[in-house]
Amino acid sequence: MSRKTIIAGNWKMYKTNVEALQLANQVKIKTKDIRHTGIIICPPFTALAAVAEVVNDSAIAVGGQTMCVEKEGAFTGAISAGMIKSTGAIHVILGHSERRQYFGETDELVNKKIKTALEFGLKPIVCIGETLEQREGNITAEVVTKQLRGALADLEPQHVDRLIVAYEPIWAIGTGKTATPEQAQEVHSVIRGAITEWFGETTADNLVIQYGGSVKPENAESLLSQPDIDGALVGGACLKADSFSAIIHTAEGLKR
Ligand code: PEP
């Protein structure tokens, strides 16, 4: 297995430019000893270029939190894949549950965005996950598989090789409730199984599947120790350099 553990931080709509630069600098200092774990930070668009410059001489990669499906045009306020790429960012989070919930993003739109992102050389972090109602109705595997199938429609294995998938149960995002390591592992294994079936074993073996949903320094080790959990997408705990770097150091300690 050649998968690297990758820890990504989603800053959401937090941090002015001054605050963003401070946080990026602190993360850079606190993770300079990291050798085996991938690190991605996803600041707001306004700080992307400045943060990308600050971490340019480190192993930290930068990503956007969403992007417009259109390549360019009269779409006031929208940000394109090419614009994100031009800041020095190389990743983009797509299909985050907050985008689905508040901005009406569908699997079909996520699929189109993935294709555009790949065309511009960005590596998408594709988010999927079930609601509490769906989990309680025992349809988690079905829901997640359907989201994944929709998001990855018409893609070839070489496209999937450039993605990260993040399993983020909606009921665990920003709520302080975390899926147990066993619950998360079960879904990650369903995801890897589906990828094996659709894109082949090599692509599935190499795919980084992150868990997201109230990951903190206290629960990182038990989650990241699971065989199919290859990293974390972190919200709240990435807004402080101490907690974000503690999660990264935990991953590094468990290196595969
Ligand atoms: C997220 O926004 O993707 C996330 C997982 O948030 P939190 O860690 O705060 O639950």
Side-chain angles (χ1 to χ4, degrees):
M1 183 184 71
S2 60
R3 295 194 298 272
K4 187 173 182 174
T5 304
I6 302 179
I7 309 295
N10 173 12
W11 295 10
K12 309 196 184 187
M13 200 173 73
Y14 293 101
K15 308 295 177 188
T16 61
N17 264 27
V18 170
E19 293 164 347
L21 288 179
Q22 273 169 359
L23 178 56
N25 261 310
Q26 287 166 354
V27 171
K28 180 168 130 178
I29 292 164
K30 286 178 188 291
T31 59
K32 63 176 186 300
D33 57 328
I34 298 295
R35 295 285 169 271
H36 306 282
T37 308
I39 307 169
I40 304 170
I41 51 180
C42 302
F45 286 137
T46 41
L48 264 187
V51 165
E53 173 139 21
V54 162
V55 300
N56 190 26
D57 58 348
S58 76
I60 302 173
V62 175
Q65 299 174 14
T66 182
M67 55 165 240
C68 183
V69 67
E70 302 293 342
K71 292 171 194 166
E72 63 178 2
F75 301 103
T76 301
I79 304 287
S80 72
M83 291 169 184
I84 294 175
K85 192 73 198 304
S86 75
T87 66
I90 57 168
H91 294 275
V92 63
I93 300 172
L94 294 177
H96 190 281
S97 64
E98 287 153 15
R99 299 296 310 178
R100 293 175 188 259
Q101 188 180 347
Y102 305 127
F103 300 91
E105 294 197 8
T106 60
D107 294 331
E108 199 188 348
L109 182 64
V110 173
N111 175 248
K112 288 189 181 143
K113 287 191 179 192
I114 292 173
K115 290 173 183 163
T116 307
L118 291 173
E119 203 181 306
F120 282 81
L122 288 170
K123 298 178 179 178
I125 302 175
V126 182
C127 303
I128 52 175
E130 82 287 3
T131 63
L132 186 58
E133 198 183 1
Q134 290 164 334
R135 172 156 287 270
E136 287 173 346
N138 286 323
I139 54 167
T140 297
E142 201 178 314
V143 168
V144 165
T145 308
K146 183 164 174 280
Q147 286 176 331
L148 197 61
R149 182 72 280 190
L152 307 185
D154 314 317
L155 296 188
E156 299 292 335
Q158 68 268 25
H159 300 131
V160 180
D161 291 343
R162 289 156 61 200
L163 306 177
I164 293 173
V165 170
Y167 166 57
E168 299 207 302
I170 296 170
W171 49 273
I173 297 180
T175 57
K177 286 186 203 148
T178 320
T180 64
E182 294 72 26
Q183 282 174 323
Q185 165 58 30
E186 197 180 343
V187 181
H188 281 233
S189 143
V190 167
I191 294 169
R192 205 175 306 283
I195 298 291
T196 309
E197 193 185 320
W198 303 331
F199 300 100
E201 210 167 313
T202 308
T203 294
D205 271 352
N206 291 330
L207 180 70
V208 169
I209 309 176
Q210 296 175 323
Y211 168 78
S214 300
V215 176
K216 313 182 255 283
E218 303 78 57
N219 58 26
E221 180 167 355
S222 58
L223 288 159
L224 295 171
S225 306
Q226 298 297 314
D228 287 297
I229 301 186
D230 313 312
L233 180 53
V234 184
C238 80
L239 296 173
K240 294 220 160 61
D242 276 346
S243 42
F244 190 53
S245 78
I247 295 168
I248 294 163
H249 279 94
T250 299
E252 184 83 351
L254 295 167
K255 75 177 181 302
R256 297 170 156 174

